[in-house]
Amino acid sequence: MKIFFFYFILFPFVLISQNMESSHSKKVVFIIVDGISFDQLKAAPTPNLDHIGFEGGFTEASVGGIVDTYSETPTVSAVGYNSLLTGTWANKHNVYGNGIKNPNYNYPSIFRLYKDYNPKGTIAVFSSWLDNRTKLVGDGLKQTNEIKVDYSFDGLEHDSINYPHDKKRNFMKLIDLNVAINASETILKEGPDVSWVYLEFTDDMGHAYGDSPWFNAAITFEDDLIGKIYESVEKRQKENNEDWMFVVTTDHGRSAKNGKGHGGQTLRERSTWIVTNLKNTNTYFKEQTPSIVDILPTMIDFLHIEVPQNTKREFDGVSLISPVDITNLKANIKKNKLVLTWENHSAKKGKAKIHISTTNLFKTGKEDKYTLLGEVDLSKETYKTSIKNLKSGFYKVTLESQNTTLNYWITK
């Protein structure tokens, strides 16, 4: 009887301990390989990405926000990186070019969200660009609560002694090799909880040669580096009883004319892809075209990070592993009436709540006050109501179902 009583008292703590261990055993690596459109990826031999996608999943994806709306986002490198890091488009994170002049750190990166949830967790950045860690992640900055990157290997683009800069940019090929080697060794030895690996050489070859055998060869070269990193992940999973999410994507596509440029909103410049080892991807991933902003919500789901509601309402993406009830929310105002439309993916007769705010205090680090407008039947895919008592030049609308939160801005 005493033994049973002791076990009964101890059992909740055993559960808590097991849950903590399970939580801590989950780890993420995301890799951005620069500037490879979906069609260009398919044109090049990529045995390692093929293997990872066969184990998990592979899909065409997109960047660039919603064309001709407030969220339209340049298909430029650093802009794409920050869309992944924050799960938002440029109208929120405020990075519109590679100069990264004034990021809005009030839209937290995956590293901030993870560190806030698990301060003892470890994060890592392996990159040819120093700015990725110092400007985008905001390592040590007051605006990011002085977040500390635990493991980093970057800044090699400024080393012209060990990496003599040549016009054909072979030095960047060597830098990517060393970045990948350091990433694979650190992941194998230290096992950071959230790691970002950035590889640049493909974009350099795209700018120099466009659609060409040289560009294809660069893609195959990067594929080999990805394979080395994935080997470390596989060893960690086998030897340390860890569960790793491994995801590879790109930041933008290529220009339609010859593949040398990017930055605009043509279909090819917006066309990207996502490869992951996750086997439990949802129907949204498998049957539709997700975007780069969907990767952050997926990492949050995988790591079981608890995110404040006000922050979640700002995400422009949805999870690729949890059920997705709704997509493609749109809103406008006609004669003091708010009109909403969406696409329903809920098999059951799902419901969702509609909230509205006339402020955008979130961008200044404060919370917006939302008013509940009502509850809707998702299968109707439309909603209309009067807002004559909420006159404003700006509105934020959210549609929140059991599994999905979407937002849309209405601006004059």
Side-chain angles (χ1 to χ4, degrees):
M1 189 69 177
K2 289 181 180 178
I3 294 175
F4 175 78
F5 178 76
F6 175 76
Y7 179 76
F8 183 78
I9 295 297
L10 181 62
F11 184 66
F13 295 98
V14 173
L15 281 179
I16 292 172
S17 176
Q18 288 176 342
N19 287 337
M20 288 179 66
E21 290 177 4
S22 175
S23 174
H24 291 164
S25 69
K26 286 184 172 291
K27 298 175 183 289
V28 166
V29 175
F30 62 95
I31 300 176
I32 297 176
V33 192
D34 205 314
I36 308 173
S37 59
F38 177 70
D39 65 313
Q40 196 69 42
L41 182 74
K42 294 198 300 180
T46 54
N48 291 289
L49 285 173
D50 293 345
H51 168 68
I52 297 165
F54 181 79
E55 284 191 346
F58 166 65
T59 182
E60 184 174 6
S62 69
V63 296
I66 304 173
V67 180
D68 294 330
T69 72
Y70 63 87
S71 71
E72 182 175 298
T73 296
T75 53
V76 175
S77 295
V79 186
Y81 314 159
N82 218 34
S83 292
L84 188 156
L85 292 175
T86 64
T88 66
W89 298 118
N91 62 292
K92 296 177 182 177
H93 64 63
N94 202 43
V95 173
Y96 282 91
N98 289 335
I100 316 176
K101 294 181 179 179
N102 188 28
N104 191 335
Y105 296 112
N106 292 312
Y107 296 90
S109 69
I110 179 60
F111 297 109
R112 278 274 305 283
L113 292 168
Y114 184 74
K115 281 284 194 177
D116 287 348
Y117 178 69
N118 183 14
K120 294 184 179 179
T122 55
I123 59 177
V125 176
F126 309 95
S127 167
S128 61
W129 271 19
L130 180 65
D131 287 352
N132 287 347
R133 174 173 58 85
T134 58
K135 291 185 178 181
L136 293 181
V137 178
D139 189 18
L141 297 182
K142 182 180 179 181
Q143 302 96 303
T144 61
N145 294 332
E146 298 179 345
I147 188 173
K148 177 61 181 175
V149 175
D150 300 281
Y151 304 98
S152 63
F153 186 78
D154 53 20
L156 303 185
E157 77 272 31
H158 300 302
D159 183 354
S160 58
I161 297 177
N162 293 304
Y163 304 94
H165 290 198
D166 60 307
K167 291 183 179 180
K168 292 186 177 181
R169 297 192 67 82
N170 287 313
F171 73 95
M172 190 53 66
K173 183 177 183 180
L174 184 58
I175 286 175
D176 277 4
L177 173 63
N178 280 283
V179 166
I181 290 173
N182 189 276
S184 60
E185 290 177 348
T186 304
I187 287 169
L188 183 60
K189 182 180 178 181
E190 306 293 345
D193 296 311
V194 182
S195 299
W196 174 18
V197 182
Y198 167 67
L199 304 173
E200 180 185 334
F201 183 60
T202 40
D203 191 51
D204 290 351
M205 295 300 97
H207 283 298
Y209 302 104
D211 304 323
S212 64
W214 293 276
F215 192 12
N216 290 348
I219 295 172
T220 302
F221 169 76
E222 303 287 37
D223 177 78
D224 184 60
L225 301 185
I226 292 166
K228 295 181 188 302
I229 298 168
Y230 192 58
E231 283 179 11
S232 294
V233 168
E234 289 184 307
K235 288 180 181 178
R236 292 284 312 194
Q237 290 191 127
K238 291 178 182 178
E239 298 173 4
N240 296 277
N241 193 31
E242 295 167 343
D243 186 11
W244 285 71
M245 171 183 169
F246 192 88
V247 60
V248 188
T249 190
T250 190
D251 50 344
H252 55 75
R254 313 301 309 180
S255 59
K257 182 179 180 180
N258 54 22
K260 289 188 175 182
H262 58 85
Q265 295 294 322
T266 64
L267 289 176
R268 195 177 187 220
E269 287 168 295
R270 293 170 55 86
S271 174
T272 61
W273 45 272
I274 299 172
V275 177
T276 180
N277 69 328
L278 296 179
K279 296 178 174 63
N280 60 331
T281 51
N282 55 26
T283 54
Y284 171 68
F285 177 89
K286 296 172 182 175
E287 298 175 6
Q288 299 186 55
T289 304
S291 68
I292 199 167
V293 293
D294 297 322
I295 294 175
L296 177 133
T298 309
M299 292 190 285
I300 286 171
D301 270 5
F302 181 81
L303 295 167
H304 302 304
I305 300 174
E306 295 179 7
V307 178
Q309 184 184 44
N310 241 40
T311 300
K312 190 178 293 186
R313 282 173 168 167
E314 299 293 332
F315 292 158
D316 291 321
V318 297
S319 173
L320 301 175
I321 53 178
S322 294
V324 174
D325 298 328
I326 42 180
T327 59
N328 198 27
L329 174 66
K330 293 182 180 178
N332 61 65
I333 296 174
K334 296 180 180 179
K335 297 181 180 179
N336 290 326
K337 286 189 179 294
L338 174 68
V339 181
L340 270 64
T341 60
W342 60 87
E343 293 179 14
N344 175 42
H345 305 285
S346 176
K348 301 178 181 179
K349 292 184 178 180
K351 300 285 187 180
K353 292 181 179 180
I354 297 174
H355 292 83
I356 191 168
S357 174
T358 58
T359 64
N360 191 19
L361 299 177
F362 190 92
K363 72 175 185 179
T364 66
K366 301 176 182 178
E367 287 194 7
D368 293 296
K369 182 180 179 181
Y370 283 86
T371 300
L372 176 64
L373 292 181
E375 190 173 60
V376 296
D377 181 348
L378 290 178
S379 64
K380 293 183 177 180
E381 297 189 328
T382 187
Y383 175 79
K384 183 186 295 185
T385 188
S386 173
I387 57 167
K388 62 181 180 181
N389 295 326
L390 289 172
K391 291 185 178 180
S392 174
F394 175 84
Y395 300 89
K396 285 201 288 192
V397 181
T398 66
L399 184 63
E400 302 174 36
S401 69
Q402 180 180 354
N403 300 305
T404 312
T405 297
L406 303 180
N407 74 88
Y408 198 92
W409 288 6
I410 304 171
T411 61
K412 285 188 177 182

PDB file of all heavy atoms in Angstrom, residues 153 156 163 171-184 199 201 221-222 224-225 228:
ATOM      1  N   PHE A 153      29.041  30.086 -37.359  1.00  0.00           N
ATOM      2  CA  PHE A 153      30.177  29.987 -38.273  1.00  0.00           C
ATOM      3  C   PHE A 153      29.810  30.810 -39.490  1.00  0.00           C
ATOM      4  O   PHE A 153      29.011  30.390 -40.330  1.00  0.00           O
ATOM      5  CB  PHE A 153      30.432  28.526 -38.656  1.00  0.00           C
ATOM      6  CG  PHE A 153      31.678  28.319 -39.487  1.00  0.00           C
ATOM      7  CD1 PHE A 153      32.933  28.314 -38.888  1.00  0.00           C
ATOM      8  CD2 PHE A 153      31.596  28.127 -40.861  1.00  0.00           C
ATOM      9  CE1 PHE A 153      34.078  28.119 -39.649  1.00  0.00           C
ATOM     10  CE2 PHE A 153      32.733  27.937 -41.625  1.00  0.00           C
ATOM     11  CZ  PHE A 153      33.980  27.933 -41.014  1.00  0.00           C
ATOM     12  N   LEU A 156      32.726  34.598 -43.492  1.00  0.00           N
ATOM     13  CA  LEU A 156      33.854  34.217 -44.350  1.00  0.00           C
ATOM     14  C   LEU A 156      33.900  35.028 -45.636  1.00  0.00           C
ATOM     15  O   LEU A 156      34.945  35.098 -46.300  1.00  0.00           O
ATOM     16  CB  LEU A 156      33.776  32.726 -44.682  1.00  0.00           C
ATOM     17  CG  LEU A 156      33.742  31.757 -43.486  1.00  0.00           C
ATOM     18  CD1 LEU A 156      33.779  30.322 -43.975  1.00  0.00           C
ATOM     19  CD2 LEU A 156      34.896  32.030 -42.541  1.00  0.00           C
ATOM     20  N   TYR A 163      40.198  33.042 -48.606  1.00  0.00           N
ATOM     21  CA  TYR A 163      39.253  32.825 -49.712  1.00  0.00           C
ATOM     22  C   TYR A 163      39.442  33.951 -50.741  1.00  0.00           C
ATOM     23  O   TYR A 163      38.641  34.874 -50.819  1.00  0.00           O
ATOM     24  CB  TYR A 163      37.811  32.820 -49.192  1.00  0.00           C
ATOM     25  CG  TYR A 163      37.585  31.813 -48.101  1.00  0.00           C
ATOM     26  CD1 TYR A 163      37.691  32.184 -46.754  1.00  0.00           C
ATOM     27  CD2 TYR A 163      37.270  30.483 -48.400  1.00  0.00           C
ATOM     28  CE1 TYR A 163      37.491  31.263 -45.740  1.00  0.00           C
ATOM     29  CE2 TYR A 163      37.065  29.549 -47.397  1.00  0.00           C
ATOM     30  CZ  TYR A 163      37.173  29.953 -46.065  1.00  0.00           C
ATOM     31  OH  TYR A 163      36.982  29.027 -45.067  1.00  0.00           O
ATOM     32  N   PHE A 171      35.509  31.292 -54.898  1.00  0.00           N
ATOM     33  CA  PHE A 171      35.743  31.457 -53.466  1.00  0.00           C
ATOM     34  C   PHE A 171      34.456  31.198 -52.677  1.00  0.00           C
ATOM     35  O   PHE A 171      34.502  30.678 -51.564  1.00  0.00           O
ATOM     36  CB  PHE A 171      36.283  32.854 -53.154  1.00  0.00           C
ATOM     37  CG  PHE A 171      35.277  33.965 -53.256  1.00  0.00           C
ATOM     38  CD1 PHE A 171      34.593  34.418 -52.126  1.00  0.00           C
ATOM     39  CD2 PHE A 171      35.014  34.569 -54.479  1.00  0.00           C
ATOM     40  CE1 PHE A 171      33.670  35.447 -52.226  1.00  0.00           C
ATOM     41  CE2 PHE A 171      34.097  35.602 -54.575  1.00  0.00           C
ATOM     42  CZ  PHE A 171      33.414  36.043 -53.450  1.00  0.00           C
ATOM     43  N   MET A 172      33.311  31.530 -53.278  1.00  0.00           N
ATOM     44  CA  MET A 172      32.051  31.295 -52.587  1.00  0.00           C
ATOM     45  C   MET A 172      31.721  29.801 -52.538  1.00  0.00           C
ATOM     46  O   MET A 172      31.094  29.322 -51.592  1.00  0.00           O
ATOM     47  CB  MET A 172      30.922  32.071 -53.266  1.00  0.00           C
ATOM     48  CG  MET A 172      29.623  32.073 -52.477  1.00  0.00           C
ATOM     49  SD  MET A 172      29.806  32.617 -50.746  1.00  0.00           S
ATOM     50  CE  MET A 172      30.269  34.338 -50.995  1.00  0.00           C
ATOM     51  N   LYS A 173      32.143  29.081 -53.531  1.00  0.00           N
ATOM     52  CA  LYS A 173      31.983  27.630 -53.527  1.00  0.00           C
ATOM     53  C   LYS A 173      32.765  27.026 -52.362  1.00  0.00           C
ATOM     54  O   LYS A 173      32.262  26.142 -51.639  1.00  0.00           O
ATOM     55  CB  LYS A 173      32.474  27.050 -54.859  1.00  0.00           C
ATOM     56  CG  LYS A 173      32.282  25.554 -55.000  1.00  0.00           C
ATOM     57  CD  LYS A 173      32.734  25.097 -56.392  1.00  0.00           C
ATOM     58  CE  LYS A 173      32.474  23.608 -56.579  1.00  0.00           C
ATOM     59  NZ  LYS A 173      32.898  23.152 -57.929  1.00  0.00           N
ATOM     60  N   LEU A 174      33.975  27.522 -52.164  1.00  0.00           N
ATOM     61  CA  LEU A 174      34.809  27.034 -51.066  1.00  0.00           C
ATOM     62  C   LEU A 174      34.215  27.436 -49.711  1.00  0.00           C
ATOM     63  O   LEU A 174      34.259  26.666 -48.746  1.00  0.00           O
ATOM     64  CB  LEU A 174      36.229  27.585 -51.215  1.00  0.00           C
ATOM     65  CG  LEU A 174      37.274  27.108 -50.195  1.00  0.00           C
ATOM     66  CD1 LEU A 174      37.399  25.587 -50.228  1.00  0.00           C
ATOM     67  CD2 LEU A 174      38.616  27.764 -50.474  1.00  0.00           C
ATOM     68  N   ILE A 175      33.661  28.636 -49.639  1.00  0.00           N
ATOM     69  CA  ILE A 175      33.029  29.086 -48.398  1.00  0.00           C
ATOM     70  C   ILE A 175      31.844  28.188 -48.053  1.00  0.00           C
ATOM     71  O   ILE A 175      31.686  27.736 -46.912  1.00  0.00           O
ATOM     72  CB  ILE A 175      32.588  30.558 -48.518  1.00  0.00           C
ATOM     73  CG1 ILE A 175      33.809  31.476 -48.450  1.00  0.00           C
ATOM     74  CG2 ILE A 175      31.599  30.927 -47.400  1.00  0.00           C
ATOM     75  CD1 ILE A 175      33.493  32.942 -48.682  1.00  0.00           C
ATOM     76  N   ASP A 176      30.988  27.902 -49.046  1.00  0.00           N
ATOM     77  CA  ASP A 176      29.841  27.032 -48.797  1.00  0.00           C
ATOM     78  C   ASP A 176      30.293  25.657 -48.311  1.00  0.00           C
ATOM     79  O   ASP A 176      29.665  25.060 -47.423  1.00  0.00           O
ATOM     80  CB  ASP A 176      29.003  26.878 -50.069  1.00  0.00           C
ATOM     81  CG  ASP A 176      28.034  28.029 -50.276  1.00  0.00           C
ATOM     82  OD1 ASP A 176      28.062  28.987 -49.477  1.00  0.00           O
ATOM     83  OD2 ASP A 176      27.240  27.978 -51.230  1.00  0.00           O
ATOM     84  N   LEU A 177      31.375  25.152 -48.887  1.00  0.00           N
ATOM     85  CA  LEU A 177      31.909  23.856 -48.455  1.00  0.00           C
ATOM     86  C   LEU A 177      32.273  23.894 -46.984  1.00  0.00           C
ATOM     87  O   LEU A 177      31.902  22.994 -46.211  1.00  0.00           O
ATOM     88  CB  LEU A 177      33.128  23.493 -49.303  1.00  0.00           C
ATOM     89  CG  LEU A 177      33.908  22.239 -48.862  1.00  0.00           C
ATOM     90  CD1 LEU A 177      33.040  20.999 -48.966  1.00  0.00           C
ATOM     91  CD2 LEU A 177      35.174  22.085 -49.692  1.00  0.00           C
ATOM     92  N   ASN A 178      32.972  24.933 -46.561  1.00  0.00           N
ATOM     93  CA  ASN A 178      33.392  25.025 -45.165  1.00  0.00           C
ATOM     94  C   ASN A 178      32.221  25.296 -44.220  1.00  0.00           C
ATOM     95  O   ASN A 178      32.200  24.802 -43.092  1.00  0.00           O
ATOM     96  CB  ASN A 178      34.464  26.111 -45.022  1.00  0.00           C
ATOM     97  CG  ASN A 178      35.838  25.618 -45.450  1.00  0.00           C
ATOM     98  OD1 ASN A 178      36.506  24.894 -44.733  1.00  0.00           O
ATOM     99  ND2 ASN A 178      36.245  26.017 -46.644  1.00  0.00           N
ATOM    100  N   VAL A 179      31.247  26.062 -44.692  1.00  0.00           N
ATOM    101  CA  VAL A 179      30.044  26.288 -43.890  1.00  0.00           C
ATOM    102  C   VAL A 179      29.331  24.961 -43.645  1.00  0.00           C
ATOM    103  O   VAL A 179      28.923  24.651 -42.518  1.00  0.00           O
ATOM    104  CB  VAL A 179      29.094  27.285 -44.597  1.00  0.00           C
ATOM    105  CG1 VAL A 179      27.703  27.261 -43.960  1.00  0.00           C
ATOM    106  CG2 VAL A 179      29.671  28.697 -44.534  1.00  0.00           C
ATOM    107  N   ALA A 180      29.189  24.158 -44.697  1.00  0.00           N
ATOM    108  CA  ALA A 180      28.502  22.872 -44.564  1.00  0.00           C
ATOM    109  C   ALA A 180      29.281  21.906 -43.683  1.00  0.00           C
ATOM    110  O   ALA A 180      28.686  21.162 -42.873  1.00  0.00           O
ATOM    111  CB  ALA A 180      28.273  22.260 -45.942  1.00  0.00           C
ATOM    112  N   ILE A 181      30.607  21.887 -43.820  1.00  0.00           N
ATOM    113  CA  ILE A 181      31.427  21.007 -42.984  1.00  0.00           C
ATOM    114  C   ILE A 181      31.285  21.390 -41.517  1.00  0.00           C
ATOM    115  O   ILE A 181      31.094  20.527 -40.643  1.00  0.00           O
ATOM    116  CB  ILE A 181      32.910  21.066 -43.421  1.00  0.00           C
ATOM    117  CG1 ILE A 181      33.095  20.385 -44.776  1.00  0.00           C
ATOM    118  CG2 ILE A 181      33.810  20.414 -42.373  1.00  0.00           C
ATOM    119  CD1 ILE A 181      34.490  20.549 -45.356  1.00  0.00           C
ATOM    120  N   ASN A 182      31.368  22.690 -41.222  1.00  0.00           N
ATOM    121  CA  ASN A 182      31.231  23.142 -39.834  1.00  0.00           C
ATOM    122  C   ASN A 182      29.839  22.837 -39.295  1.00  0.00           C
ATOM    123  O   ASN A 182      29.689  22.412 -38.144  1.00  0.00           O
ATOM    124  CB  ASN A 182      31.518  24.633 -39.740  1.00  0.00           C
ATOM    125  CG  ASN A 182      31.610  25.109 -38.303  1.00  0.00           C
ATOM    126  OD1 ASN A 182      30.606  25.405 -37.672  1.00  0.00           O
ATOM    127  ND2 ASN A 182      32.832  25.168 -37.775  1.00  0.00           N
ATOM    128  N   ALA A 183      28.819  23.041 -40.131  1.00  0.00           N
ATOM    129  CA  ALA A 183      27.452  22.749 -39.700  1.00  0.00           C
ATOM    130  C   ALA A 183      27.283  21.271 -39.384  1.00  0.00           C
ATOM    131  O   ALA A 183      26.726  20.908 -38.335  1.00  0.00           O
ATOM    132  CB  ALA A 183      26.461  23.178 -40.782  1.00  0.00           C
ATOM    133  N   SER A 184      27.771  20.402 -40.263  1.00  0.00           N
ATOM    134  CA  SER A 184      27.602  18.963 -40.051  1.00  0.00           C
ATOM    135  C   SER A 184      28.371  18.499 -38.818  1.00  0.00           C
ATOM    136  O   SER A 184      27.868  17.670 -38.037  1.00  0.00           O
ATOM    137  CB  SER A 184      28.067  18.182 -41.288  1.00  0.00           C
ATOM    138  OG  SER A 184      29.443  18.424 -41.565  1.00  0.00           O
ATOM    139  N   LEU A 199      23.451  28.560 -47.786  1.00  0.00           N
ATOM    140  CA  LEU A 199      24.407  28.267 -48.852  1.00  0.00           C
ATOM    141  C   LEU A 199      24.127  29.183 -50.041  1.00  0.00           C
ATOM    142  O   LEU A 199      22.993  29.259 -50.527  1.00  0.00           O
ATOM    143  CB  LEU A 199      24.293  26.795 -49.271  1.00  0.00           C
ATOM    144  CG  LEU A 199      24.468  25.770 -48.133  1.00  0.00           C
ATOM    145  CD1 LEU A 199      24.161  24.368 -48.635  1.00  0.00           C
ATOM    146  CD2 LEU A 199      25.881  25.841 -47.547  1.00  0.00           C
ATOM    147  N   PHE A 201      26.268  29.705 -53.166  1.00  0.00           N
ATOM    148  CA  PHE A 201      26.956  29.564 -54.447  1.00  0.00           C
ATOM    149  C   PHE A 201      26.004  29.444 -55.640  1.00  0.00           C
ATOM    150  O   PHE A 201      26.294  29.949 -56.736  1.00  0.00           O
ATOM    151  CB  PHE A 201      27.890  28.352 -54.398  1.00  0.00           C
ATOM    152  CG  PHE A 201      28.711  28.137 -55.637  1.00  0.00           C
ATOM    153  CD1 PHE A 201      29.599  29.100 -56.079  1.00  0.00           C
ATOM    154  CD2 PHE A 201      28.583  26.963 -56.375  1.00  0.00           C
ATOM    155  CE1 PHE A 201      30.358  28.904 -57.224  1.00  0.00           C
ATOM    156  CE2 PHE A 201      29.334  26.755 -57.518  1.00  0.00           C
ATOM    157  CZ  PHE A 201      30.227  27.724 -57.944  1.00  0.00           C
ATOM    158  N   PHE A 221      26.274  20.442 -56.614  1.00  0.00           N
ATOM    159  CA  PHE A 221      27.306  20.655 -55.597  1.00  0.00           C
ATOM    160  C   PHE A 221      26.669  20.939 -54.236  1.00  0.00           C
ATOM    161  O   PHE A 221      27.051  20.346 -53.217  1.00  0.00           O
ATOM    162  CB  PHE A 221      28.208  21.820 -56.011  1.00  0.00           C
ATOM    163  CG  PHE A 221      29.145  22.290 -54.930  1.00  0.00           C
ATOM    164  CD1 PHE A 221      30.272  21.570 -54.596  1.00  0.00           C
ATOM    165  CD2 PHE A 221      28.881  23.467 -54.236  1.00  0.00           C
ATOM    166  CE1 PHE A 221      31.135  21.999 -53.590  1.00  0.00           C
ATOM    167  CE2 PHE A 221      29.726  23.913 -53.233  1.00  0.00           C
ATOM    168  CZ  PHE A 221      30.861  23.170 -52.907  1.00  0.00           C
ATOM    169  N   GLU A 222      25.684  21.836 -54.202  1.00  0.00           N
ATOM    170  CA  GLU A 222      25.017  22.153 -52.945  1.00  0.00           C
ATOM    171  C   GLU A 222      24.241  20.947 -52.422  1.00  0.00           C
ATOM    172  O   GLU A 222      24.159  20.727 -51.201  1.00  0.00           O
ATOM    173  CB  GLU A 222      24.061  23.341 -53.135  1.00  0.00           C
ATOM    174  CG  GLU A 222      24.689  24.606 -53.674  1.00  0.00           C
ATOM    175  CD  GLU A 222      25.555  25.359 -52.675  1.00  0.00           C
ATOM    176  OE1 GLU A 222      26.247  24.710 -51.874  1.00  0.00           O
ATOM    177  OE2 GLU A 222      25.545  26.611 -52.704  1.00  0.00           O
ATOM    178  N   ASP A 224      25.137  17.907 -52.599  1.00  0.00           N
ATOM    179  CA  ASP A 224      26.114  17.059 -51.910  1.00  0.00           C
ATOM    180  C   ASP A 224      26.397  17.580 -50.504  1.00  0.00           C
ATOM    181  O   ASP A 224      26.510  16.798 -49.549  1.00  0.00           O
ATOM    182  CB  ASP A 224      27.412  17.007 -52.719  1.00  0.00           C
ATOM    183  CG  ASP A 224      28.433  16.056 -52.102  1.00  0.00           C
ATOM    184  OD1 ASP A 224      28.131  14.858 -51.974  1.00  0.00           O
ATOM    185  OD2 ASP A 224      29.522  16.538 -51.731  1.00  0.00           O
ATOM    186  N   LEU A 225      26.468  18.906 -50.350  1.00  0.00           N
ATOM    187  CA  LEU A 225      26.689  19.489 -49.024  1.00  0.00           C
ATOM    188  C   LEU A 225      25.491  19.234 -48.109  1.00  0.00           C
ATOM    189  O   LEU A 225      25.650  18.948 -46.918  1.00  0.00           O
ATOM    190  CB  LEU A 225      26.932  20.999 -49.151  1.00  0.00           C
ATOM    191  CG  LEU A 225      28.120  21.436 -50.011  1.00  0.00           C
ATOM    192  CD1 LEU A 225      28.298  22.954 -49.927  1.00  0.00           C
ATOM    193  CD2 LEU A 225      29.397  20.723 -49.598  1.00  0.00           C
ATOM    194  N   LYS A 228      25.725  15.832 -46.648  1.00  0.00           N
ATOM    195  CA  LYS A 228      26.656  15.711 -45.522  1.00  0.00           C
ATOM    196  C   LYS A 228      25.994  16.161 -44.216  1.00  0.00           C
ATOM    197  O   LYS A 228      26.179  15.537 -43.159  1.00  0.00           O
ATOM    198  CB  LYS A 228      27.908  16.551 -45.780  1.00  0.00           C
ATOM    199  CG  LYS A 228      28.752  16.103 -46.960  1.00  0.00           C
ATOM    200  CD  LYS A 228      29.987  16.971 -47.123  1.00  0.00           C
ATOM    201  CE  LYS A 228      30.734  16.651 -48.402  1.00  0.00           C
ATOM    202  NZ  LYS A 228      31.162  15.242 -48.501  1.00  0.00           N
TER     203      LYS A 228
END
